[in-house]
Amino acid sequence: MKTLVVYSSRTGNTRMIAEAVHSVMPDGAGIFPVRDAPDPSPYDFVALGFWVDKGGPDADMAEYLGSVRGKRVGLFGTLGAWPDSEHARKAMQAAVDRAEGNTVLGTFLCQGKVDPKLLAAMAKMGGNSPHPMTEERKARLEEAARHPDAADCENARRVFTDIVKNLER
Ligand SMILES: Cc1cc2nc3c(=O)[nH]c(=O)nc-3n(C[C@H](O)[C@H](O)[C@H](O)COP(=O)(O)O)c2cc1C
């Protein structure tokens, strides 16, 4: 079975999860950043990872997803929001919608630290920021700063181990 992991990652969070996912793929699985990703046609299963930008999969992965058709796929992502929030659910649904024409066998989302440069730029905007700092937001960003952690990597491995087991059955 030929398997492939393709991920998009600006600051390394999604790459970390991609490496965890890759570690449970069958021997010989490929792993590529999206910009170097091969044509997915020869692969039996493709794991696709994105970071959440503007409430959906980032543009590079959204574009690549558009080139994957008729495959069995698994989707994973990292985001600043709580992974069990409505925002997270919608972000994953946007990725699933983008993967239309494929069979989605599983999904995984976890938090990932937000680029400090983005946070600094927003702090400078103060009250004009579209995301003003509240106690809730502060707590969420502080938690995000600790992710992905070892438990996130383990959870991602578990989700993709199950997918691979079912594929090999
Ligand atoms: C420009 C930008 C936009 C973002 N938009 C969102 C968003 O809409 N929702 C969200 O939950 N997190 C958002 N984030 C947070 C990232 O999705 C999160 O930090 C992710 O783990 C980054 O992954 P990476 O390290 O693989 O690039 C944004 C981050 C940046 C830099």
Side-chain angles (χ1 to χ4, degrees):
M1 184 173 64
K2 270 175 81 75
T3 60
L4 176 66
V5 180
V6 179
Y7 64 91
S8 178
S9 186
R10 250 177 103 244
T11 60
N13 299 328
T14 314
R15 185 181 64 230
M16 192 184 291
I17 298 299
E19 285 166 359
V21 167
H22 182 242
S23 75
V24 297
M25 289 289 124
D27 286 351
I31 177 167
F32 294 90
V34 65
R35 285 173 184 214
D36 302 331
D39 172 7
S41 317
Y43 293 89
D44 302 302
F45 174 73
V46 191
L48 299 145
F50 57 91
W51 60 278
V52 173
D53 184 11
K54 297 190 256 344
D58 68 273
D60 288 343
M61 183 45 74
E63 187 185 335
Y64 187 75
L65 271 171
S67 74
V68 184
R69 284 295 171 267
K71 296 285 162 199
R72 290 177 293 183
V73 301
L75 301 173
F76 60 95
T78 68
L79 80 172
W82 300 115
D84 59 355
S85 62
E86 184 61 11
H87 181 77
R89 195 194 62 72
K90 283 186 178 163
M92 184 53 85
Q93 187 57 49
V96 169
D97 291 348
R98 191 69 199 152
E100 197 192 347
N102 299 284
T103 306
V104 180
L105 299 181
T107 63
F108 173 80
L109 269 183
C110 69
Q111 270 190 308
K113 60 192 87 53
V114 180
D115 187 347
K117 284 192 210 123
L118 178 71
L119 297 178
M122 284 193 174
K124 252 189 181 172
M125 292 169 78
N128 297 323
S129 164
H131 304 292
M133 192 54 77
T134 60
E135 281 306 309
E136 192 280 333
R137 185 163 146 73
K138 192 162 166 266
R140 175 161 38 86
L141 288 170
E142 279 172 9
E143 186 57 34
R146 291 191 272 271
H147 294 267
D149 61 11
D152 296 324
C153 292
E154 180 54 30
N155 289 335
R157 281 194 290 271
R158 202 170 299 141
V159 168
F160 281 83
T161 296
D162 285 350
I163 292 176
V164 168
K165 266 192 206 147
N166 285 331
L167 279 170
E168 286 174 337
R169 217 173 255 163

